[in-house]
Amino acid sequence: MTEPAVTVVVAVYNTMPALTECLESLVGQSIGLDRLEIIAVNDGSTDDSGKELDRFAARYPGTFKVIHQENSGGPAGPNNVALSQATGRYVFFVGSDDYLGREALERMVKMADKNDSDVVLGKMVAVGNRSIPRAVFRTTENSIPLIGSGALYAISNTKMYKRALIEKHGMRYAEDLPVSCDMPFTLEAYVHSKTVSVVADYDCYYAVRRDDDSNITYRARFENRLKVCKRALDRLHELSGPGDLYDAFAIRLLKVDLAWIFGENFLAETPERREECVRVTAEFLEEYYGSSFDRFEHRLTVPERLRFRWVFARRTDSLTELVRTDTAGDLPPTLLDGDHAYALYPGFRDSRYDIPDSSFELLGTLVGRFGPGTELASMAWHQDADAFALDVSVRVPVVGDTSSAVVRLADRAMPKSTDKAGARRLGKHEELPGPVGEFTRETTPDGDATVVRARIPLKRRKATLGLRVSLDAGGWTYEIPVRGEEHPLPLARRWRVDDPYRVAAEVNAKGRVVVATGPLYPPNKNWGSRLRSLLTGSKRK
C-alpha cells in the first residue's frame, strides 16, 4: 500500500450528531481517499458515536481505521493511540465536532511539500461563537516567525504536522493534563520546526462551539488551567531557555489563558472558590513571573494589568469588582494628566494600595474610549440682533486637564474608519482649524465626565456642519462626533430681516448631530435649469 500523504486523527467522545458532519467532511476531501488515512479513536463514548464510526469504517475500509477503548478522561490518550499507528507523511488533528473545507488537506499538503514545512496552519472559521485565533491568518505565508506573527496565539493542535518531526523528538500528548493537552504538544512542535507555514486564502477548518458548551475546554477548572500553564512554561524553558520566545509566550498566557480564569467564570464561582482561585493564582504568578511582570505589563490592557495586580495583592474583593465592571463592558472615565491618560478604575492613586500609575495608564489609541461616552447634553439657538449662534453643551467621558477640549462645527465628513469606534485620532502632522467661539468646562457632579459648553457663532452661508469635540490625550489629538439620539433639538429658526437665513439641527443616520444653514429663499434657477425643467417636466435630484 502506498504511504498516505496525511493521516487525520479524530479523538471521539460523545459528539453525535456533529460527528457525522465531521466525518463526511473528511471523506469528501479533494485530496482523494487514496492519499488519506483516517484513524478515529472512540474514547468510551456512551452515545451513538461508536456506531457512527463503525458505519464509516464499513463504507471506507481502505481509508478508515476505528479503535474502541475505555474512557481515558481526555483527548490526550486517544491522540497518542492514533499517533502510534499513523503512517502518513503528515498528521492532521481534527476535533470530532468540527469539520473541514473540501480543499483543506490538499492545499495544506501542497503548502508543506512546496516549503518542506514542519507545521502548516490552515485558516480557521468560527461557528457558534467559538473563540479562534485571527491575526496569524491575515495572509498566506510560506514561512512565519513564532514571535510577532500570531502563531503563539494559535496553540491548539488543529494543524498539520510533519510526522517525521513528531517521531524524531518522541512528541506525545501529556495524558495527565485533563484540558489543553495540545498546548505543550504544539509549543514543542513550534520550537523544533524550521518552517511554519500558513494557508489563509481558503477556509480550511470550521471550529464549532456546541450549544451545550460541553467541550471540556470551556468547562475547565482554574486548577487545570494553571496546571497546563505551568507545564507549558516548564517545557518551553527546557527547550529554549529564557529569552524572547519564553517572554512572548509568557505574555500570551497572561492575555489568554490566565485572563480566562478571571472572566465570567470567576464571577460564577462561590466566594470561597474565588478566594482559593486568587490564592493559588498568586502563588503561580509569584513563582513564574515575579518582578518580570513589571516588564510585561505594558503589553497588557489596563483591565488585564489590574486583574493581576489585585491577584498579586490577594484582594479578591477588588478583583471581583473589576471583573464585574469589565465583563459588563462599562468603561471608567479617562483622566488626562499632561501627556498621560489613565483609566480611573478603583484603586488609582489610592494610598491603601501599592499599585503604580503605570498599571492604569492607557497606551496606544484611545478612540474606543471617547466615542461611546460623548453625547449631546443640551442645545439651543442664541440670537443677538443680526448675530446668530449655537449654544451647546456636550458630555465627554474625560476628567482632569480638559483645557484642550473644545466643540466645533466641521464642514467636512468624518472618515468611514470612524464609524465603528465613534472617534478618530489625528495624524502627528495633521491639524484642525482653530476653535471658534466661547468655551467653559465643568466636571459632572459624579466626577465621571466633563461638560464642555460653547457658544459658536454661525456664518451666513449654505452648509451642513457636523458637531464635533476635539481634545488632546496621551500626546495625540482626537476628534469625536457628538451623538444626539433621544436628546431634544431646538426648532428650526430664521435670522436677519433682510436676506434672511434658516438654521436647523438634526440627528443623521449615524446618530450624529448636524447643523444646516442656508438662505431662507434660495436664489432663482438660472435659465438652463428652468429650460431643463420645462423640457423634462421634472426637477433634478
Side-chain angles (χ1 to χ4, degrees), residues 397-418:
V398 298
V399 294
D401 181 8
T402 59
S403 58
S404 66
V406 296
V407 182
R408 304 171 186 271
L409 286 173
D411 58 3
R412 53 182 173 72
M414 296 288 282
K416 289 186 177 180
S417 59
T418 308

Side-chain angles (χ1 to χ4, degrees), residues 462-480:
K462 181 177 176 58
T464 300
L465 309 168
L467 189 64
R468 315 270 173 78
V469 172
S470 65
L471 56 85
D472 297 334
W476 296 84
T477 298
Y478 292 84
E479 187 179 27
I480 315 155

Side-chain angles (χ1 to χ4, degrees), residues 475-533:
W476 296 84
T477 298
Y478 292 84
E479 187 179 27
I480 315 155
V482 178
R483 303 191 67 83
E485 301 105 320
E486 301 181 4
H487 288 274
L489 300 180
L491 297 175
R493 288 273 295 277
R494 60 174 286 177
W495 86 92
R496 291 180 60 86
V497 174
D498 58 327
D499 189 20
Y501 270 71
R502 181 181 185 274
V503 62
E506 66 175 6
V507 175
N508 66 15
K510 294 181 179 179
R512 302 168 183 173
V513 179
V514 294
V515 173
T517 60
L520 185 62
Y521 305 116
N524 292 330
K525 294 180 180 179
N526 59 36
W527 68 269
S529 296
R530 294 176 184 175
L531 180 61
R532 184 164 48 248
S533 297

Side-chain angles (χ1 to χ4, degrees), residues 342-378:
Y342 301 100
L344 286 185
Y345 284 99
F348 179 72
R349 292 180 181 171
D350 191 322
S351 59
R352 295 174 296 173
Y353 315 116
D354 187 24
I355 300 181
D357 284 3
S358 60
S359 295
F360 297 84
E361 185 167 8
L362 295 161
L363 305 174
T365 182
L366 305 181
V367 291
R369 301 189 65 83
F370 297 149
T374 298
E375 60 182 12
L376 182 69
S378 66

Side-chain angles (χ1 to χ4, degrees), residues 85-144:
Q85 301 196 31
T87 63
R89 288 187 295 117
Y90 303 104
V91 178
F92 186 90
F93 297 91
V94 61
S96 60
D97 44 7
D98 301 332
Y99 57 95
L100 304 185
R102 184 175 181 274
E103 300 175 19
L105 295 180
E106 182 181 14
R107 288 172 178 254
M108 296 173 76
V109 168
K110 183 178 180 180
M111 172 66 80
D113 287 345
K114 172 186 172 184
N115 298 290
D116 192 24
S117 309
D118 296 298
V119 180
V120 178
L121 289 73
K123 182 180 178 181
M124 301 183 72
V125 178
V127 180
N129 200 30
R130 176 82 172 265
S131 177
I132 61 169
R134 301 184 188 278
V136 74
F137 297 120
R138 289 194 184 104
T139 58
T140 293
E141 299 288 348
N142 294 333
S143 181
I144 61 170

Side-chain angles (χ1 to χ4, degrees), residues 252-271:
R252 184 255 191 230
L253 292 183
L254 288 171
K255 293 184 71 66
V256 180
D257 300 85
L258 296 171
W260 178 93
I261 293 174
F262 299 107
E264 293 180 354
N265 313 283
F266 184 72
L267 298 178
E269 299 282 7
T270 65

Side-chain angles (χ1 to χ4, degrees), residues 191-375:
V191 174
H192 291 313
S193 295
K194 292 181 181 178
T195 303
V196 177
S197 304
V198 178
V199 175
D201 56 354
Y202 182 77
D203 293 343
C204 295
Y205 193 101
Y206 291 84
V208 180
R209 175 80 177 262
R210 298 191 214 172
D211 293 336
D212 59 0
D213 283 346
S214 55
N215 185 296
I216 61 174
T217 301
Y218 293 98
R219 295 183 284 108
R221 294 160 56 91
F222 66 81
E223 293 95 340
N224 291 332
R225 287 272 181 170
L226 291 173
K227 186 176 182 179
V228 172
C229 293
K230 290 179 182 180
R231 183 70 56 82
L233 287 172
D234 288 343
R235 185 60 176 145
L236 182 57
H237 194 273
E238 291 174 7
L239 293 169
S240 65
D244 292 342
L245 181 60
Y246 184 92
D247 287 354
F249 186 70
I251 292 168
R252 184 255 191 230
L253 292 183
L254 288 171
K255 293 184 71 66
V256 180
D257 300 85
L258 296 171
W260 178 93
I261 293 174
F262 299 107
E264 293 180 354
N265 313 283
F266 184 72
L267 298 178
E269 299 282 7
T270 65
E272 293 76 18
R273 283 283 290 168
R274 287 183 208 159
E275 291 284 353
E276 178 68 7
C277 179
V278 169
R279 182 188 66 80
V280 173
T281 307
E283 293 173 355
F284 167 80
L285 291 176
E286 288 162 357
E287 179 180 358
Y288 285 88
Y289 290 84
S291 59
S292 297
F293 185 79
D294 293 340
R295 291 192 296 110
F296 294 156
E297 76 168 347
H298 73 282
R299 297 284 301 276
L300 308 177
T301 65
V302 173
E304 289 168 348
R305 294 176 220 158
L306 292 178
R307 275 168 165 80
F308 300 120
R309 287 295 185 185
W310 290 129
V311 171
F312 272 118
R314 290 171 167 76
R315 289 301 305 262
T316 305
D317 54 345
S318 299
L319 175 61
T320 302
E321 181 182 358
L322 170 67
V323 173
R324 187 170 286 118
T325 298
D326 191 41
T327 55
D330 298 333
L331 290 177
T334 300
L335 171 69
L336 306 183
D337 186 0
D339 286 337
H340 301 279
Y342 301 100
L344 286 185
Y345 284 99
F348 179 72
R349 292 180 181 171
D350 191 322
S351 59
R352 295 174 296 173
Y353 315 116
D354 187 24
I355 300 181
D357 284 3
S358 60
S359 295
F360 297 84
E361 185 167 8
L362 295 161
L363 305 174
T365 182
L366 305 181
V367 291
R369 301 189 65 83
F370 297 149
T374 298
E375 60 182 12

